[in-house]
Amino acid sequence: MRIAMISPEVTPFAKTGGLADVAGTLAVALEHLGHEVSLVMPAYRCVLRGGFALEGTSMRFSVPLAERNEEGAVLKAGLGKNITVYLVRADRYFDRDSLYGTSAGDYPDNAERFVFFSRAALEILRHNPVDIAHCHDWQSALAIVFLKSQAERYPELASSHTVFTAHNLGFQGIFGQSEWPLLDLDRIYFSPQYLEFHSHVNFLKGALVFADKITTVSPTYAREILGAEQGFGLEEVLQGRADDVVGILNGVDYGQWDPAVDPWIAERYTESNLTAKRSCKRGLQGALGLPARDKTPLLGMVSRLTSQKGFDLVEKIFDQLMARDLQMAILGSGEERYEEFFRRAAKRFPKKVGVRVGFDEALAHQIEAGADVFLMPSLYEPCGLNQMFSLKYGTIPVVRAVGGLKDTVEDCDPEQETGTGFVFGPYEPEALMAAVERALQSYGDKKAWTALRRRAMSMDFSWERSADAYSNLYQQLRS
Ligand code: ADP
Ligand code: GLC
């Protein structure tokens, strides 16, 4: 099949979170299955200046935006064996410091930027028709809306089917009604049946209404979003489409995330050579200015610093944690209040807490390899990649039983010698602390800990299975 992935982020070109990993790796996995795959994403500044081999093309296009037309160009890059990555170039929209905004907030013209991107993606597909247009998250959601509601503008794509993947219902692309004219759609679509959402325009909702199939990134999250707590106001729309909603667990790119081959870590290791993990721990302690302590348990976190990720719980148990003999390694960026909390924590406890605020690929790998325990106490988690990375690195995850965390980590039962991590239920500090206590206790029992690590490292979340599931879904649409 000819498949185009339309995504606002793709690894290695531009990334703020797991979506980038998923779009890039899924494309390659689908190519392995024999499909003809392309990707469409914006040519952000980090792409233009990232040292990638970019090729110009003669393609120029002009798309309607409110009362005017906006022009753009297309660059090309490669991925996998033969995947073409189409980069939508319009420097006034995308040649900026970051993808979506600064610490002061989202860029004020985000609605316009991603209306433009979605229209541009369809122009590229008109020149390169596909069987499946697979869009990811609100930034590309309108491509599906435009294709379905204005089919006459895209005759070349009359036989294309559409799939939409919602990676996180917490981000919907909601804008004021004053932005509606940008979409250049018939007014009937600004109604609660379509894109209207409490008098606002909701891009993601549009894709949920119009896509042939809707997927999300774990089976548990696919069930959770049908309820009010996790549906973020879209649960009724999703319930109406329940037969077309599928949860497909993300995979891991073990070419990037495997301690046996990882180029970023102090020493490579496998299940049968866990002593080398000690060098990684020392390397990590060194990188964050922590004293080298082999026996002290080291707890790691790598995350966007947002309330989604459970930092309120971490703050609440922080003093209890600091009363223990342990160290913490934290890498993240995001909301100012959490950045500030961790900066202060590192100052207060310089021998116990190492913090780096920012985005740092190398350190992310070093924490996965060097920590003993990985914390992911998320409020909600569509899938989550870091807990799966942690399993592979023998770094035992402590997770809350939500979304993909529930689907990938099995609670440890020391009696039965089963499980791969420590799982807790209620979103309460006591519950997180109890799970951390259990992990620390297990850490103290060397034999049990080694066995637990081995069980964790033997888990396999490679992309093949998930790519098969997507492939079957595409096939269903075509038959
Ligand atoms: P989300 O997409 O919700 O942020 P995921 O667990 O799916 O969560 O994916 C997060 C990805 O982003 C992982 O690859 C993780 O290593 C990476 N990441 C998050 N924050 C940082 C950071 N500050 N520096 C480097 N990598 C980060
Ligand atoms: C989102 C989710 C995360 C998921 C990622 C990739 O950002 O928050 O749980 O792993 O998308 O699908």
Side-chain angles (χ1 to χ4, degrees), residues 461-476:
F461 293 104
S462 44
W463 261 106
E464 281 74 33
R465 205 173 344 154
S466 312
D468 261 337
Y470 281 106
S471 189
N472 291 337
L473 186 78
Y474 302 150
Q475 201 62 58
Q476 269 177 40

PDB file of all heavy atoms in Angstrom, residues 461-476:
ATOM      1  N   PHE A 461       8.999  -5.039  23.250  1.00  0.00           N
ATOM      2  CA  PHE A 461       7.962  -4.164  22.696  1.00  0.00           C
ATOM      3  C   PHE A 461       8.396  -3.621  21.335  1.00  0.00           C
ATOM      4  O   PHE A 461       8.227  -2.447  21.037  1.00  0.00           O
ATOM      5  CB  PHE A 461       7.658  -3.011  23.656  1.00  0.00           C
ATOM      6  CG  PHE A 461       7.015  -3.454  24.947  1.00  0.00           C
ATOM      7  CD1 PHE A 461       7.744  -3.508  26.124  1.00  0.00           C
ATOM      8  CD2 PHE A 461       5.686  -3.846  24.973  1.00  0.00           C
ATOM      9  CE1 PHE A 461       7.158  -3.931  27.310  1.00  0.00           C
ATOM     10  CE2 PHE A 461       5.091  -4.273  26.151  1.00  0.00           C
ATOM     11  CZ  PHE A 461       5.821  -4.312  27.323  1.00  0.00           C
ATOM     12  N   SER A 462       8.993  -4.496  20.537  1.00  0.00           N
ATOM     13  CA  SER A 462       9.485  -3.991  19.249  1.00  0.00           C
ATOM     14  C   SER A 462       8.298  -3.655  18.332  1.00  0.00           C
ATOM     15  O   SER A 462       7.168  -4.101  18.536  1.00  0.00           O
ATOM     16  CB  SER A 462      10.427  -4.993  18.600  1.00  0.00           C
ATOM     17  OG  SER A 462       9.893  -6.266  18.704  1.00  0.00           O
ATOM     18  N   TRP A 463       8.605  -2.862  17.328  1.00  0.00           N
ATOM     19  CA  TRP A 463       7.560  -2.276  16.494  1.00  0.00           C
ATOM     20  C   TRP A 463       6.820  -3.252  15.587  1.00  0.00           C
ATOM     21  O   TRP A 463       5.722  -2.964  15.125  1.00  0.00           O
ATOM     22  CB  TRP A 463       8.161  -1.164  15.617  1.00  0.00           C
ATOM     23  CG  TRP A 463       7.905   0.166  16.222  1.00  0.00           C
ATOM     24  CD1 TRP A 463       8.815   0.963  16.852  1.00  0.00           C
ATOM     25  CD2 TRP A 463       6.650   0.860  16.304  1.00  0.00           C
ATOM     26  NE1 TRP A 463       8.203   2.100  17.320  1.00  0.00           N
ATOM     27  CE2 TRP A 463       6.872   2.062  16.997  1.00  0.00           C
ATOM     28  CE3 TRP A 463       5.361   0.577  15.873  1.00  0.00           C
ATOM     29  CZ2 TRP A 463       5.865   2.977  17.252  1.00  0.00           C
ATOM     30  CZ3 TRP A 463       4.337   1.489  16.132  1.00  0.00           C
ATOM     31  CH2 TRP A 463       4.600   2.672  16.810  1.00  0.00           C
ATOM     32  N   GLU A 464       7.423  -4.434  15.350  1.00  0.00           N
ATOM     33  CA  GLU A 464       6.840  -5.327  14.334  1.00  0.00           C
ATOM     34  C   GLU A 464       5.346  -5.581  14.581  1.00  0.00           C
ATOM     35  O   GLU A 464       4.519  -5.472  13.689  1.00  0.00           O
ATOM     36  CB  GLU A 464       7.570  -6.678  14.275  1.00  0.00           C
ATOM     37  CG  GLU A 464       8.885  -6.637  13.515  1.00  0.00           C
ATOM     38  CD  GLU A 464       9.994  -5.933  14.289  1.00  0.00           C
ATOM     39  OE1 GLU A 464       9.992  -6.030  15.534  1.00  0.00           O
ATOM     40  OE2 GLU A 464      10.841  -5.272  13.652  1.00  0.00           O
ATOM     41  N   ARG A 465       5.031  -5.916  15.859  1.00  0.00           N
ATOM     42  CA  ARG A 465       3.649  -6.270  16.159  1.00  0.00           C
ATOM     43  C   ARG A 465       2.709  -5.079  15.926  1.00  0.00           C
ATOM     44  O   ARG A 465       1.631  -5.213  15.347  1.00  0.00           O
ATOM     45  CB  ARG A 465       3.561  -6.745  17.606  1.00  0.00           C
ATOM     46  CG  ARG A 465       2.384  -7.661  17.823  1.00  0.00           C
ATOM     47  CD  ARG A 465       2.378  -8.261  19.206  1.00  0.00           C
ATOM     48  NE  ARG A 465       3.666  -8.131  19.871  1.00  0.00           N
ATOM     49  CZ  ARG A 465       3.806  -8.108  21.195  1.00  0.00           C
ATOM     50  NH1 ARG A 465       2.756  -8.168  21.955  1.00  0.00           N
ATOM     51  NH2 ARG A 465       5.001  -8.010  21.752  1.00  0.00           N
ATOM     52  N   SER A 466       3.145  -3.897  16.376  1.00  0.00           N
ATOM     53  CA  SER A 466       2.276  -2.731  16.223  1.00  0.00           C
ATOM     54  C   SER A 466       2.128  -2.364  14.747  1.00  0.00           C
ATOM     55  O   SER A 466       1.026  -2.007  14.295  1.00  0.00           O
ATOM     56  CB  SER A 466       2.858  -1.534  16.975  1.00  0.00           C
ATOM     57  OG  SER A 466       3.218  -1.909  18.271  1.00  0.00           O
ATOM     58  N   ALA A 467       3.224  -2.468  13.997  1.00  0.00           N
ATOM     59  CA  ALA A 467       3.155  -2.134  12.568  1.00  0.00           C
ATOM     60  C   ALA A 467       2.207  -3.092  11.859  1.00  0.00           C
ATOM     61  O   ALA A 467       1.437  -2.692  10.976  1.00  0.00           O
ATOM     62  CB  ALA A 467       4.551  -2.179  11.947  1.00  0.00           C
ATOM     63  N   ASP A 468       2.218  -4.355  12.271  1.00  0.00           N
ATOM     64  CA  ASP A 468       1.273  -5.328  11.707  1.00  0.00           C
ATOM     65  C   ASP A 468      -0.159  -4.904  11.977  1.00  0.00           C
ATOM     66  O   ASP A 468      -1.024  -4.999  11.093  1.00  0.00           O
ATOM     67  CB  ASP A 468       1.479  -6.698  12.388  1.00  0.00           C
ATOM     68  CG  ASP A 468       2.333  -7.619  11.538  1.00  0.00           C
ATOM     69  OD1 ASP A 468       2.382  -7.406  10.316  1.00  0.00           O
ATOM     70  OD2 ASP A 468       2.956  -8.534  12.107  1.00  0.00           O
ATOM     71  N   ALA A 469      -0.397  -4.454  13.211  1.00  0.00           N
ATOM     72  CA  ALA A 469      -1.756  -4.048  13.582  1.00  0.00           C
ATOM     73  C   ALA A 469      -2.213  -2.865  12.721  1.00  0.00           C
ATOM     74  O   ALA A 469      -3.350  -2.836  12.233  1.00  0.00           O
ATOM     75  CB  ALA A 469      -1.820  -3.696  15.059  1.00  0.00           C
ATOM     76  N   TYR A 470      -1.326  -1.887  12.503  1.00  0.00           N
ATOM     77  CA  TYR A 470      -1.688  -0.751  11.634  1.00  0.00           C
ATOM     78  C   TYR A 470      -1.935  -1.231  10.203  1.00  0.00           C
ATOM     79  O   TYR A 470      -2.876  -0.816   9.534  1.00  0.00           O
ATOM     80  CB  TYR A 470      -0.594   0.326  11.647  1.00  0.00           C
ATOM     81  CG  TYR A 470      -0.633   1.208  12.877  1.00  0.00           C
ATOM     82  CD1 TYR A 470       0.312   1.075  13.890  1.00  0.00           C
ATOM     83  CD2 TYR A 470      -1.618   2.184  13.030  1.00  0.00           C
ATOM     84  CE1 TYR A 470       0.283   1.886  15.025  1.00  0.00           C
ATOM     85  CE2 TYR A 470      -1.663   2.997  14.158  1.00  0.00           C
ATOM     86  CZ  TYR A 470      -0.710   2.847  15.150  1.00  0.00           C
ATOM     87  OH  TYR A 470      -0.752   3.640  16.259  1.00  0.00           O
ATOM     88  N   SER A 471      -1.066  -2.125   9.760  1.00  0.00           N
ATOM     89  CA  SER A 471      -1.184  -2.625   8.405  1.00  0.00           C
ATOM     90  C   SER A 471      -2.533  -3.321   8.208  1.00  0.00           C
ATOM     91  O   SER A 471      -3.217  -3.113   7.188  1.00  0.00           O
ATOM     92  CB  SER A 471      -0.014  -3.594   8.176  1.00  0.00           C
ATOM     93  OG  SER A 471       0.070  -3.958   6.851  1.00  0.00           O
ATOM     94  N   ASN A 472      -2.941  -4.114   9.201  1.00  0.00           N
ATOM     95  CA  ASN A 472      -4.242  -4.792   9.100  1.00  0.00           C
ATOM     96  C   ASN A 472      -5.388  -3.787   9.077  1.00  0.00           C
ATOM     97  O   ASN A 472      -6.377  -3.961   8.359  1.00  0.00           O
ATOM     98  CB  ASN A 472      -4.449  -5.754  10.277  1.00  0.00           C
ATOM     99  CG  ASN A 472      -3.509  -6.938  10.165  1.00  0.00           C
ATOM    100  OD1 ASN A 472      -3.036  -7.268   9.079  1.00  0.00           O
ATOM    101  ND2 ASN A 472      -3.200  -7.564  11.297  1.00  0.00           N
ATOM    102  N   LEU A 473      -5.242  -2.747   9.877  1.00  0.00           N
ATOM    103  CA  LEU A 473      -6.281  -1.715   9.920  1.00  0.00           C
ATOM    104  C   LEU A 473      -6.420  -1.034   8.552  1.00  0.00           C
ATOM    105  O   LEU A 473      -7.530  -0.838   8.035  1.00  0.00           O
ATOM    106  CB  LEU A 473      -5.908  -0.691  10.991  1.00  0.00           C
ATOM    107  CG  LEU A 473      -6.933   0.377  11.286  1.00  0.00           C
ATOM    108  CD1 LEU A 473      -8.045  -0.207  12.162  1.00  0.00           C
ATOM    109  CD2 LEU A 473      -6.286   1.550  12.033  1.00  0.00           C
ATOM    110  N   TYR A 474      -5.286  -0.693   7.939  1.00  0.00           N
ATOM    111  CA  TYR A 474      -5.320  -0.055   6.608  1.00  0.00           C
ATOM    112  C   TYR A 474      -6.003  -1.006   5.610  1.00  0.00           C
ATOM    113  O   TYR A 474      -6.811  -0.581   4.785  1.00  0.00           O
ATOM    114  CB  TYR A 474      -3.909   0.244   6.093  1.00  0.00           C
ATOM    115  CG  TYR A 474      -3.032   1.126   6.957  1.00  0.00           C
ATOM    116  CD1 TYR A 474      -1.631   0.967   6.941  1.00  0.00           C
ATOM    117  CD2 TYR A 474      -3.567   2.133   7.764  1.00  0.00           C
ATOM    118  CE1 TYR A 474      -0.807   1.771   7.704  1.00  0.00           C
ATOM    119  CE2 TYR A 474      -2.736   2.934   8.530  1.00  0.00           C
ATOM    120  CZ  TYR A 474      -1.351   2.751   8.503  1.00  0.00           C
ATOM    121  OH  TYR A 474      -0.527   3.531   9.247  1.00  0.00           O
ATOM    122  N   GLN A 475      -5.637  -2.275   5.740  1.00  0.00           N
ATOM    123  CA  GLN A 475      -6.174  -3.278   4.821  1.00  0.00           C
ATOM    124  C   GLN A 475      -7.699  -3.351   4.929  1.00  0.00           C
ATOM    125  O   GLN A 475      -8.398  -3.403   3.923  1.00  0.00           O
ATOM    126  CB  GLN A 475      -5.536  -4.637   5.149  1.00  0.00           C
ATOM    127  CG  GLN A 475      -5.597  -5.634   4.014  1.00  0.00           C
ATOM    128  CD  GLN A 475      -4.825  -5.155   2.783  1.00  0.00           C
ATOM    129  OE1 GLN A 475      -3.623  -4.890   2.869  1.00  0.00           O
ATOM    130  NE2 GLN A 475      -5.502  -5.005   1.645  1.00  0.00           N
ATOM    131  N   GLN A 476      -8.183  -3.323   6.173  1.00  0.00           N
ATOM    132  CA  GLN A 476      -9.644  -3.350   6.397  1.00  0.00           C
ATOM    133  C   GLN A 476     -10.325  -2.217   5.648  1.00  0.00           C
ATOM    134  O   GLN A 476     -11.408  -2.385   5.099  1.00  0.00           O
ATOM    135  CB  GLN A 476      -9.938  -3.096   7.874  1.00  0.00           C
ATOM    136  CG  GLN A 476     -10.024  -4.302   8.756  1.00  0.00           C
ATOM    137  CD  GLN A 476     -10.255  -3.812  10.204  1.00  0.00           C
ATOM    138  OE1 GLN A 476     -11.014  -2.873  10.453  1.00  0.00           O
ATOM    139  NE2 GLN A 476      -9.589  -4.452  11.141  1.00  0.00           N
TER     140      GLN A 476
END
